Amino acid sequence: MKTDIAIIGGGLAGLATACGLEAAGRDYRLIEQRQLPVAEGMGIVLHPSGLHALHQLGIDYRHLDGYIPLSEMVFGTPGNPYIAAQEMGYEGYPVASTLRATLHQLLYRHVNKQYCLPERQLITATRHSENETHLALSSGEVVRARNVLFSDGIHGFEATAENNKATTQGVWRWLIDGVLDQERAYEIHNGKFRLGIFPVSQSCSYIFLTSQPCAFARESKYRNEDIQQILHRFGKPGAFVRNGINADTKVRFDQISENAVRWTNDSGFLQIGDAAHAVTPNLGMGASLAFEDAAVLVQLVQSNPPPTLTRELIHSYIKRRHKRVRAIKSYSKMFGVFAHLPGQRLNYAKITGLKYLSQIPLVSNGDAIYKQYFKDMPKQE
């Protein structure tokens, strides 16, 4: 089969790009080794820039089933769970928390099912000529594409254990029944570990537990007894989480191999999303950056009548994205180091410092991580 743009990977970046190309009336093929839409996955946070990018791609985030708009991020310690709070949102967009599978379903509703090739693996990619690449699939099919877009991330994000109780990227994630607060996200520090609780539906919350030495330096494995002991140090928030785990719950802290931003400069090939710039999960910006990638790329493709990823178009894309992605990667890494500075007294001091930082407009209103994107991509009414 022939196509203008072959998208390798049906994750968030790939599906979002397909949505944008569909809205623009472009021809594409989406190749994904799993079934579509993806039925498993953990909770996920979408930032205002990511929600805006979805609008640019023709998708209204308000059509997500049961998403939670978060109004506040609360920082604290086990002894004082409410030391500081920062408002969440920017330019009229909230921070939205939802289930990854629900997000996949929304995106999948906006693509042409005939253009999707699920349960097919890419076996080989051969440059047949200057304007055509042959993609051999596990099904025996060959896709002849003018352009190839790689969105297959270098890090897995999906839960692999039963009941979504698994982890990747150095973050402990699972879904538990119960409601702590349906408008706020919580981040509790005890001097070594961070415990985050994000509501993703009326009956489920998204949990992460990280420690700097484990999450970012080496691989460690924790037994259920270890988890219980760690959570005991978090007081009531820890008890809330403990009530949602059982003897089968396991936690694994994986080493994060943070990659540099890897753009390809060859005509006809481009990487986006995690394939190009996987980021540490400190800010929860991964999905939003993927949607930003897709929105910017589709915008450039629309301005290029023959939908070809020429060198000029790729260079324009890199120019638009490189500085922002590098800034977010640096900011996320810096936040992670700051959040895991050890020691009880220092821990209380840094959390208290957030109380005063939250009163500074340039910090509290999201300028640090949203401003440049909204400047480059005006708000769509």
Side-chain angles (χ1 to χ4, degrees), residues 65-88:
D65 295 330
Y67 79 95
I68 301 293
L70 301 177
S71 61
E72 211 173 33
M73 168 68 85
V74 176
F75 298 91
T77 66
N80 188 353
Y82 201 104
I83 294 177
Q86 291 188 1
E87 292 184 2
M88 305 179 80

Side-chain angles (χ1 to χ4, degrees), residues 33 67 69 94 103 110-111 118 125 135 165 177-178 182 244 256 293 298 303 309 314 338 348 353 368:
Q33 62 181 346
Y67 79 95
L103 185 55
H110 288 77
V111 298
L135 305 171
K165 295 174 180 175
D177 292 333
Q182 290 300 315
I256 293 178
D293 282 353
V298 170
S303 65
L309 301 179
I314 291 176
F338 173 79
Y348 190 89

Side-chain angles (χ1 to χ4, degrees), residues 42 159-167 172-176 244-246 248-251:
M42 298 131 326
T160 55
E162 292 182 0
N163 300 322
N164 299 313
K165 295 174 180 175
T167 181
W172 175 31
R173 312 177 183 202
W174 78 86
L175 299 176
I176 60 178
I245 66 176
N246 55 49
D248 297 324
T249 303
K250 297 179 181 179
V251 177

Side-chain angles (χ1 to χ4, degrees), residues 76-81 83 188-191 232-237 344 347:
T77 66
N80 188 353
I83 294 177
I188 312 296
H189 300 244
N190 71 0
H232 183 73
R233 305 173 193 170
F234 285 97
K236 290 183 179 180
Q344 291 284 2
N347 181 53

Side-chain angles (χ1 to χ4, degrees), residues 11-163:
L12 296 180
L15 266 177
T17 305
C19 291
L21 294 174
E22 181 70 28
R26 300 296 192 181
D27 179 64
Y28 63 92
R29 292 296 184 277
L30 177 69
I31 300 166
E32 168 56 46
Q33 62 181 346
R34 300 166 295 179
Q35 290 184 340
L36 287 173
V38 176
E40 73 275 3
M42 298 131 326
I44 194 169
V45 175
L46 296 176
H47 287 255
S49 58
L51 300 181
H52 174 275
L54 285 177
H55 272 167
Q56 295 283 332
L57 296 166
I59 301 168
D60 190 340
Y61 74 91
R62 292 169 295 187
H63 293 163
L64 272 169
D65 295 330
Y67 79 95
I68 301 293
L70 301 177
S71 61
E72 211 173 33
M73 168 68 85
V74 176
F75 298 91
T77 66
N80 188 353
Y82 201 104
I83 294 177
Q86 291 188 1
E87 292 184 2
M88 305 179 80
Y90 193 78
E91 292 291 327
Y93 290 94
V95 172
S97 191
T98 186
L99 296 173
R100 180 172 288 267
T102 303
L103 185 55
H104 269 272
Q105 292 166 7
L106 175 64
L107 295 174
Y108 194 60
R109 292 202 294 267
H110 288 77
V111 298
N112 187 331
K113 309 304 182 291
Q114 294 181 341
Y115 287 177
C116 294
L117 305 175
E119 300 182 86
R120 293 166 172 84
Q121 288 183 302
L122 174 64
I123 304 300
T124 61
T126 307
R127 194 69 166 162
H128 183 70
S129 67
E130 184 178 351
N131 297 315
E132 188 172 278
T133 299
H134 289 187
L135 305 171
L137 308 184
S138 56
S139 59
E141 299 162 291
V142 175
V143 178
R144 294 180 292 171
R146 295 175 62 185
N147 314 281
V148 180
L149 186 63
F150 288 95
S151 68
D152 194 4
I154 63 171
H155 294 299
F157 277 82
E158 303 300 338
T160 55
E162 292 182 0
N163 300 322

Side-chain angles (χ1 to χ4, degrees), residues 182-198:
Q182 290 300 315
E183 294 182 349
R184 294 174 177 84
Y186 292 86
E187 192 166 297
I188 312 296
H189 300 244
N190 71 0
K192 180 180 179 182
F193 290 92
R194 290 166 64 201
L195 173 66
I197 304 176
F198 288 77

Side-chain angles (χ1 to χ4, degrees), residues 187-251:
E187 192 166 297
I188 312 296
H189 300 244
N190 71 0
K192 180 180 179 182
F193 290 92
R194 290 166 64 201
L195 173 66
I197 304 176
F198 288 77
V200 294
S201 72
Q202 293 299 325
S203 62
C204 294
S205 291
Y206 160 49
I207 312 299
F208 71 81
L209 174 69
T210 68
S211 70
Q212 185 73 5
C214 296
F216 304 110
R218 61 185 173 85
E219 178 177 307
S220 300
K221 295 184 179 180
Y222 281 77
R223 298 170 301 172
N224 182 268
E225 308 91 89
D226 299 321
I227 299 171
Q228 295 280 1
Q229 185 177 13
I230 293 170
L231 291 174
H232 183 73
R233 305 173 193 170
F234 285 97
K236 290 183 179 180
F240 167 75
V241 178
R242 291 208 316 273
N243 291 336
I245 66 176
N246 55 49
D248 297 324
T249 303
K250 297 179 181 179
V251 177

